[in-house]
Amino acid sequence: MLMKEYRICMPLTVDEYRIGQLYTISKHSCEQSGGGEGVEVVKNEPDIHPQYGPGQLTEKRIYLNSKLPSWAKAFVPRLFYVTEKAWNFYPYTITEYSVSYLPKFSIRIETRFENNNGNNSNVFGDKPTPPESVSFLDILNDPIPEKHYKESEDLSHWQSSKTGRGPLEKSWREDHNPIMCSYKRVQCSFEVYGFQTKTEEFIHRNIRDILLVGHRQAVAWTDEWHGLSLEDVREYERTMQEKTNSKIKGPATASRPFISRSISVTDERSLKKMGVTTLAMSDPACSVPPSPIRLNSTPE
C-alpha cells in the first residue's frame, strides 16, 4: 500500500474554486470522452451526511482500456471500466476508485481546501503526513507530459480579464494574493504479488500528471467560470453530462459487447495464478462511506 499527500496551490480563493472545480471536471470529462472511451456519469445527486452535512454524490464509470500500459493489458480484460464514487462536502471531499473484478485494487483520495500556500502540516486533523510522503505540485513550474501541453493553458502566459490575475511568475507561491491549496491524501493499493510495486508507482505517476493538468486548467479557464453561481454551474454540469454520456454510448460503442457479470475464463485463470479472487461485475451498492478512519490516505 502506497500513500502520498499532494499539495497543489492555485491563485484563487476556496470559495472561487468551488465553482471552478465543478466547471473544470465537467468540461475535462467531456473533452476526454469519445470513441467508446472516457467518462460516463451514472449518478449525480444531492446528499446529506450526518457528519459533513449537505453535499453531492456522484458515481462515474471510466472506460480507458486503450490508455493502459502494455504490461497491464496482459492481464486486464479487453473491455473494462473503473468505478469512481465521490462525496463532495466542500471544502472536504472523498473519492474512491475500484475495479469490480479486482478486489485487491483500490484508490482512496481525501481532499481539503484551505486559503493558504500549503503550509498546514496537519490539514486532516489526525496526524501529520511524514515529510517524505508530501509532494508539492507547482502548476506553473512542474513539467507535464507533452501530450497534455496547450499554450492556452500555459500559466506563464495566462491572464484573466475578469479578475486581473496573471501571468504567474516563477516564485508566485511565495507572495501571490489570493492563494489557496488543495491538499490531497492519496492511498492506493494493488496487493497482487509481482505487480504491486509497479502498479502502485504507475498509479501515483498518473495521479501526479492528472492533478497538475486539472489544476492548471481550472486556473486557465477562470474567465469561463468566474462569476457563475452554484445553480449556474450545476446546470452546466447537467448539460455536459448529457454530452459526455452520448459520446460514451454513441455509434462507436455499438459494437462493444455487453459486459457480462464475470470475466472470461482465460482472464480468470490468469488472475487466479496471481492470487486474485474474481468478483461479479455488478457494481456494489452505492452508500455514503462511514466517517473516515484516517488510513493515512483524495482524479478530484
Side-chain angles (χ1 to χ4, degrees), residues 48-224:
I48 297 179
H49 188 272
Q51 181 177 354
Y52 304 114
Q56 194 81 4
L57 167 65
T58 61
E59 180 178 341
K60 300 176 183 178
R61 291 177 181 175
I62 306 170
Y63 300 89
L64 70 176
N65 189 270
S66 68
K67 302 182 186 300
L68 290 174
S70 57
W71 58 264
K73 292 180 181 179
F75 62 91
V76 170
R78 185 175 64 87
L79 300 167
F80 86 108
Y81 61 83
V82 175
T83 297
E84 174 195 284
K85 292 182 179 178
W87 295 266
N88 190 337
F89 308 104
Y90 200 86
Y92 174 69
T93 66
I94 303 168
T95 308
E96 296 178 349
Y97 297 89
S98 62
V99 179
S100 55
Y101 68 89
L102 287 178
K104 296 188 178 183
F105 169 87
S106 66
I107 301 175
R108 177 183 172 86
I109 304 175
E110 292 178 80
T111 305
R112 283 201 180 276
F113 306 100
E114 287 194 344
N115 287 313
N116 56 50
N117 65 353
N119 59 2
N120 188 340
S121 62
N122 191 17
V123 70
F124 294 101
D126 44 15
K127 62 181 180 179
T129 301
E132 63 272 17
S133 297
V134 175
S135 179
F136 285 84
L137 303 185
D138 190 327
I139 58 176
L140 172 66
N141 299 305
D142 285 357
I144 61 173
E146 185 176 352
K147 63 182 179 180
H148 293 310
Y149 177 82
K150 294 181 181 179
E151 187 174 357
S152 61
E153 297 170 6
D154 188 330
L155 302 182
S156 65
H157 305 307
W158 162 77
Q159 189 161 17
S160 167
S161 61
K162 287 187 177 180
T163 66
R165 301 168 200 168
L168 298 184
E169 299 181 352
K170 189 172 183 179
S171 59
W172 73 276
R173 289 192 302 166
E174 299 174 10
D175 53 17
H176 196 281
N177 186 32
I179 191 167
M180 63 160 288
C181 184
S182 172
Y183 294 82
K184 291 184 175 289
R185 187 159 61 178
V186 182
Q187 176 181 286
C188 67
S189 177
F190 187 69
E191 299 176 2
V192 176
Y193 179 76
F195 288 93
Q196 181 171 0
T197 300
K198 178 179 287 188
T199 302
E200 291 178 356
E201 290 176 349
F202 168 77
I203 291 169
H204 273 285
R205 284 198 303 271
N206 278 269
I207 287 175
R208 176 193 175 279
D209 291 341
I210 290 169
L211 292 178
L212 277 172
V213 172
H215 288 77
R216 282 165 60 105
Q217 290 175 332
V219 175
W221 298 343
T222 297
D223 286 348
E224 298 180 28

Side-chain angles (χ1 to χ4, degrees), residues 22-42:
L22 296 173
Y23 180 93
T24 301
I25 291 172
S26 296
K27 180 176 176 178
H28 181 77
S29 295
C30 191
E31 287 187 345
Q32 296 300 308
S33 300
E37 292 199 344
V39 181
E40 177 186 3
V41 181
V42 178

Side-chain angles (χ1 to χ4, degrees), residues 65 74-81 99-103 258-274 276-282:
N65 189 270
F75 62 91
V76 170
R78 185 175 64 87
L79 300 167
F80 86 108
Y81 61 83
V99 179
S100 55
Y101 68 89
L102 287 178
F258 176 75
I259 300 178
S260 63
R261 293 179 59 84
S262 62
I263 61 176
S264 69
V265 173
T266 302
D267 289 322
E268 186 174 11
R269 287 174 178 170
S270 299
L271 289 169
K272 284 183 177 179
K273 288 180 180 179
M274 294 187 287
V276 179
T277 302
T278 57
L279 294 180
M281 287 295 289
S282 57

